[in-house]
Every structure is written in structure tokens, then in C-alpha cells.
Amino acid sequence: MPTRLPLVRRRCHACASGRRFRANGKFRVNAHHKLLDAWLLAHCTACGETTKLAVLERVNVRSVRPETLARLHHNDIGLAAALLQDPAVQRRNRVALDWTGAWRLDTGGTDHLDREVVDVTVRFEARIPVRPVRLVADGCGLARAEVERLVEEGRLVSAVRLTGRLSGDFTFTLKR
């Protein structure tokens, strides 16, 4: 589950060192007669320079749902999180997200670790790209190398590939 908004990877025009921006959920909305622009504001982690991530560009005001417009005006953090994860917004602004330190794993306790065979369902509250091997290692209290060995031996099986990155729900079975 997410613990904060992810960092936005983007080159800073003000400083040479800054490549990450922190969004705080603030929006800027500007109306030009019947057309509306909206941006999500983010600040460079190195120099504090502000950048705008385009959310809406020259959209007819009547085509925006009133509750969405209200959420933009009230700087809704939930809307900011949803828009940051929207692939269209990421493509339009040529940005990527950095989820390092922005999520935590909730295992629901450690009583399941004593069993011979453990069936686990992993559910994501947000589309956070993580390595399943890391999740299994953190959740079961194992080293990543040991988890990779279990995969090779066939004692850790899943319908999805456990190597690489994944951001959707999956299940796995661990045989001790």
C-alpha cells in the first residue's frame, strides 16, 4: 500500500542536479472563457523549483465533471495520486514515477510462516511496480537470494513470472 505520493522523475530546468520532483497534491486551475487548463504542481527535491504537470489542456468547462472540478479546486490528494498513476498523464508530461520508499508491505501477521505449504494472495492498493521476489522475501522474512533459489527449485510457484516488475494482484505457493 502507498505511504506517500511517488517522486516524479523529470529534469529540472533550474539546477543541474535535480531530477526528482515531489508532488504535494496542489493543483493550479486556469480558465480561458469556456476553456480550462489544470496542472499538478511539483517541486524539485534539490532546489525547490516548481514544475507543472499538465492534467487538462484547453478542455471545454462543460466536459469536466463538476465533482472532478471541485476536487481540483480543493487540492484533493486522492485525485493527485490517481492522476500521477495515469499512463496518459505520464506520457503527456514525459515523466516516470519513482516509488522508492513510497510504499509498505502489510503481511497481516507472521503466523502463516510456520506452515509446510503457504498459499498467498498479494493485492495492490495502487499500481506500484515492485519485484515479486522482493515482496515474497520481505513478507516471508527470507533473503532475496533464498527466494530466487526456491523459484529455481520449484518450491515457490506462481501463475505469473516472479522475476521482473509487477504492479497487479497475483498469487503464489511456497513449499517448505
Side-chain angles (χ1 to χ4, degrees):
M1 65 182 54
T3 57
R4 63 168 171 80
L5 291 177
L7 296 176
V8 177
R9 288 190 195 153
R10 183 182 207 172
R11 188 174 67 84
C12 180
H13 297 289
C15 70
S17 63
R19 292 198 175 272
R20 294 200 172 122
F21 287 81
R22 181 175 309 280
N24 58 3
K26 302 258 189 238
F27 291 95
R28 176 158 185 240
V29 180
N30 195 7
H32 304 281
H33 302 287
K34 295 180 183 179
L35 301 178
L36 188 74
D37 291 322
W39 301 276
L40 176 62
L41 302 179
H43 304 283
C44 177
T45 57
C47 68
E49 183 71 18
T50 302
T51 189
K52 299 185 293 187
L53 303 175
V55 174
L56 300 173
E57 293 178 306
R58 302 287 188 214
V59 176
N60 191 317
V61 175
R62 291 181 184 224
S63 69
V64 179
R65 295 173 51 199
E67 55 272 6
T68 302
L69 191 57
R71 290 176 75 186
L72 287 168
H73 284 299
H74 291 99
N75 297 317
D76 186 347
I77 194 80
L79 180 61
L83 290 171
L84 275 176
Q85 295 177 48
D86 184 0
V89 172
Q90 290 179 21
R91 250 188 331 275
R92 181 183 311 129
N93 292 287
R94 296 184 190 105
V95 298
L97 301 181
D98 182 359
W99 283 96
T100 306
W103 61 274
R104 71 177 176 87
L105 179 64
D106 184 14
T107 61
T110 59
D111 59 340
H112 62 281
L113 299 178
D114 300 341
R115 299 185 192 141
E116 191 68 29
V117 177
V118 181
D119 290 319
V120 178
T121 301
V122 178
R123 289 189 183 92
F124 288 79
E125 286 192 15
R127 296 186 51 80
I128 303 171
V130 294
R131 298 185 187 281
V133 170
R134 179 177 178 200
L135 284 179
V136 173
D138 290 350
C140 296
L142 303 170
R144 283 191 2 205
E146 186 177 353
V147 172
E148 290 170 356
R149 183 181 52 78
L150 291 170
V151 170
E152 288 175 11
E153 293 174 357
R155 294 180 15 199
L156 177 61
V157 293
S158 177
V160 298
R161 194 182 79 186
L162 295 174
T163 57
R165 291 190 181 266
L166 190 66
S167 59
D169 299 347
F170 68 98
T171 60
F172 67 89
T173 302
L174 174 62
K175 302 171 192 170
R176 298 218 180 224

